[in-house]
Structure formats: structure tokens, C-alpha cells
Amino acid sequence: MTRLSPRQILDRLVSFPTISRDSNLGLIDWVEGYLASHGITAHRHWNEDRQKAALFAHVGPMVAGGVVLSGHSDVVPVDGQPWTSDPWVVTERRGRLYGRGTCDMKGYLALALWALVEAAVRGVQRPLQIAISYDEEVGCIGAPPMIAAMQNVLPKANVALIGEPSGMGIVTGHKGGTGYRVHVKGFEVHSSLLPEGVSAIMEAARLICWMNTQNADNAAKAVTPLAAAFRPSYTTLHSGMIAGGTAHNITAADCRFVMEFRVVPGEGVDDWAHALEAEAARIAADMHAVRPEAGVHLERFFAVPPLVPEQSGAAEALVRRLTGDNGTGVVSYGTEAGQFQAAGYSAVICGPGDISQAHQPDEYLEVAQFQAGQQFMQRLVEALA
Ligand SMILES: [Zn+2]
């Protein structure tokens, strides 16, 4: 097959509607075929029901070191969003490439695939790898098993570059996070007999009050150096959805809500998780004392480690050399970079586009950003050659 330009690759990637709830196999099949046509063997890591796969590939000598370019294949839905043009067709208007995923983050994947083929054609002394995950947009679920599988098959790269939109600037830190679906199970009685029942809503309120107290305590604490660059510069707890109850005069049998932590580097995501679990257990014990069937059920549905800024990290040094960016950047959204770092890679974020364009109707990537990304990849391949 002829070598495609980054723009031609982007056209293909966007044409696959890889919304997180659906299969991504169309895209993965195409990528595998395209790489194979240039003599690059790709490997898959399947999800449980084999409806989705992650893909990774290696170019260069079969030795450890080098760079892995990483991005996610899934995109957020377009349901109910007012799009001016077909979200699954890249449409260029006024210097912008419109389409779902152009910014987050198929633009970067197109550049990474282009770079991999360039590296294969010209030959590199140090390895260049690509890793394409699934289920990022639903809580960074897909990357950890992919990273584990990759290390069983390929030599381990030293540097991981995660191309989430950062305006091609360097981002060395982000918050971690974890989320829970909470089901508070009460006991129904007529509300005139309140002490004999358990209101799931009022017990849920205790847990949510605890969250408010944590926020206030965190805000009042001294800011740590690792957290200083974030806005806000402390860990936050938030509930974004709640439902429960059937009537004003029945103690609620059920109350369900979701909650999330956004944890600054330097604090443990799991420590916060355990604090929530302990508080839920305390509340549940009070509920049990009234009705043994009442209680609090917690379902943890995602957990993402923070990206901790590294002391003289290899990834940071490389990206500074390639971009000339001497600034410092942190972001408050979670990415797969923290997961690569937790697996022993030196990791930073650097990718084209503006995060404010991600997930929007009429999502776009500026052509100038795409071109800057191509120059970055060109320099990277030269640096590895
Ligand atoms: Zn993304």
C-alpha cells in the first residue's frame, strides 16, 4: 500500500464511529492492515467479550528503550449534539478539521501511525512503538490490561508520550481519580413511624455531607508543592447524579448516586477510596442497628492514578528538546499517562489541539496544530534514527 499522509490516515480513523459503547474493531482491523502493508506486525489485546481490542506495534531493533506513542481509539457520543457537518467525515472549513475525535484524539493517532511507518521506511536505531487503547472515555479502563499485555510481547519502551490535546505543549502532571456508584438500601415504613424505618435518602445525605466536609477540610489545608500548579490545588469530591424515593410520606427504600474523587499528585487514590469505604461502613452500621437488611453498597467503576511530575524525567527531556517548550503545564483531567507512569514508563502528555474542543458538537482540530504535530513526529523519528 502507498504511504498515506497524516490527513489521509485521519480521514480513515474518523470514518469509524468508535463510540465507547460500541465495537472498535473496524478501526483496529484497518490499522492492522495498514501497518501490515508496510511490514509492521501489530498485536492485539482483546476485551472480555472480544468486541473491542487494543493494538500495539514495534518498529526498530528488538531491544528495550525508545518511545511508545499512545492514544485511545474510542470517542464520546454525538447523540443530541447539533453538528453542522457529518461527525464521521473530516470536513475542512476555515483552517479547521471538523469531525468527532479529530481533537480527542484521532488526530494524534493519525500522526503516530504516520510516524511509525516513516520510522519503518527510513530505519531507526532506537525503537518506536504505538499503543492504541479502548474504553478511555469511560474511565481509562482499557489501558492497564493493554500495557500489561504489551510488556509480555514487546521490549519495554522507556518513554511514553500520550497525545491528549495540549496545544503541542508539554504537560507533566494531572490529577488522579476514582469513581463509585453508590446504592443506599433503606427500609420502607410510613414516615409517621420514622424510627422504625430507614430512609435511604437521608442516609445517602450523610455520606454526601461527609464529602462536603472533606472538600472544606482539603481547601483549608496548606497547599503542597506537587499540588500547587493545579486549579483547585487540592483533592475534590463530587456527586453529579442522584435518585431515590417514591413518596413524601414513605421512608425511601433506595437511593442511588454517583460520586468521584479528583486526587492531586502526592495523595493516594486508593487512600481516598478507603476513606469513603470506611465512612460508608460507619453509616451502614447505624442502619443495620435499625433494620438488618439496610445498608450501603459501593461499586467502584474507575480508578486512574495521577501523573506525578518527574524529577529530570526522560519523557520531559525528550519533548522539551523536540518542541522547545520550556513551560510547565498540568491539567485537571485524568489520562492514560498516569497509568503508563505507574507501570514504570517515564510519561508526559503532548498532543495537538485544545481540550476545550474535545467532546463538543463540531469538535475540531486546527490545521496548524495538526501540522505542528507532524513536525514533532518528524523530529522524533530523526532523533531515533
Ligand atoms: Zn482523550
Side-chain angles (χ1 to χ4, degrees):
M1 198 194 276
T2 51
R3 280 150 74 188
L4 300 180
S5 68
R7 172 61 202 276
Q8 288 170 319
I9 298 173
L10 180 63
D11 287 348
R12 296 308 305 263
L13 297 181
V14 170
S15 74
F16 300 103
T18 50
I19 297 166
S20 308
R21 64 179 176 238
D22 299 325
S23 172
N24 72 343
L25 294 180
L27 181 147
I28 294 297
D29 287 345
W30 183 82
V31 168
E32 190 175 73
Y34 180 63
L35 292 178
S37 75
H38 293 284
I40 302 169
T41 304
H43 308 267
R44 293 186 182 200
H45 177 73
W46 295 89
N47 75 339
E48 248 168 52
D49 62 10
R50 293 178 78 86
Q51 292 306 301
K52 298 171 190 171
L55 179 144
F56 44 89
H58 176 106
V59 165
M62 288 302 278
V63 297
V67 174
V68 55
L69 304 171
S70 169
H72 57 85
S73 62
D74 57 321
V75 294
V76 294
V78 296
D79 309 72
Q81 291 187 336
W83 280 76
T84 307
S85 54
D86 185 343
W88 310 112
V89 175
V90 179
T91 308
E92 187 169 344
R93 300 193 295 270
R94 299 184 310 277
R96 295 170 171 179
L97 301 168
Y98 288 87
R100 171 56 86 226
T102 49
C103 171
D104 184 15
M105 57 185 294
K106 290 177 172 175
Y108 182 78
L109 286 183
L111 295 168
L113 286 164
W114 177 80
L116 206 69
V117 172
E118 291 298 303
V121 169
R122 73 174 285 174
V124 282
Q125 301 291 320
R126 286 188 292 152
L128 184 63
Q129 299 179 344
I130 192 168
I132 302 176
S133 69
Y134 55 83
D135 282 353
E136 192 270 353
E137 295 289 5
V138 291
C140 296
I141 293 166
M146 172 188 75
I147 294 168
M150 207 163 85
Q151 293 183 44
N152 288 330
V153 179
L154 300 178
K156 187 171 178 174
N158 178 34
V159 163
L161 303 182
I162 287 77
E164 289 285 345
S166 70
M168 289 311 296
I170 187 165
V171 171
T172 57
H174 66 62
K175 290 188 178 182
T178 190
Y180 283 86
R181 296 186 189 96
V182 184
H183 177 199
V184 181
K185 189 140 185 41
F187 186 81
E188 285 186 326
V189 295
H190 192 283
S191 60
S192 62
L193 303 172
L194 187 64
E196 292 163 41
V198 177
S199 166
I201 292 174
M202 295 179 73
E203 300 301 324
R206 290 174 65 191
L207 199 49
I208 292 169
C209 271
W210 176 83
M211 292 164 55
N212 280 323
T213 304
Q214 302 309 307
N215 283 331
D217 289 353
N218 288 348
K221 273 192 290 201
V223 176
T224 64
L226 274 178
F230 289 92
R231 201 184 80 199
S233 55
Y234 53 88
T235 294
T236 53
L237 294 74
H238 170 252
S239 175
M241 278 196 293
I242 188 165
T246 53
H248 78 91
N249 55 1
I250 304 174
T251 57
D254 297 286
C255 182
R256 291 182 167 82
F257 67 95
V258 293
M259 67 84 57
E260 58 161 26
F261 294 89
R262 292 183 179 268
V263 179
V264 290
E267 295 182 5
V269 172
D270 287 343
D271 293 340
W272 278 108
H274 296 150
L276 174 79
E277 286 162 12
E279 184 61 20
R282 270 191 288 277
I283 293 169
D286 292 348
M287 298 166 70
H288 282 300
V290 182
R291 297 297 315 192
E293 55 271 78
V296 181
H297 178 73
L298 299 176
E299 183 201 348
R300 197 173 180 185
F301 68 98
F302 78 91
V304 186
L307 177 65
V308 183
E310 299 168 14
Q311 296 290 329
S312 47
E316 182 177 346
L318 174 67
V319 171
R320 290 203 189 287
R321 195 147 51 82
L322 297 178
T323 62
D325 182 0
N326 291 316
T328 51
V330 299
V331 292
S332 282
Y333 53 88
T335 77
E336 297 174 343
Q339 295 170 322
F340 273 91
Q341 188 180 58
Y345 295 81
S346 175
V348 295
I349 299 164
C350 182
D354 184 334
I355 191 67
S356 68
Q357 281 308 312
H359 303 193
Q360 297 291 310
D362 286 345
E363 174 179 349
Y364 66 81
L365 175 63
E366 284 181 4
V367 172
Q369 278 287 304
F370 200 41
Q371 288 168 343
Q374 188 174 0
Q375 280 162 17
F376 175 88
M377 293 297 177
Q378 184 81 54
R379 283 187 210 119
L380 173 64
V381 171
E382 284 162 14
L384 296 171

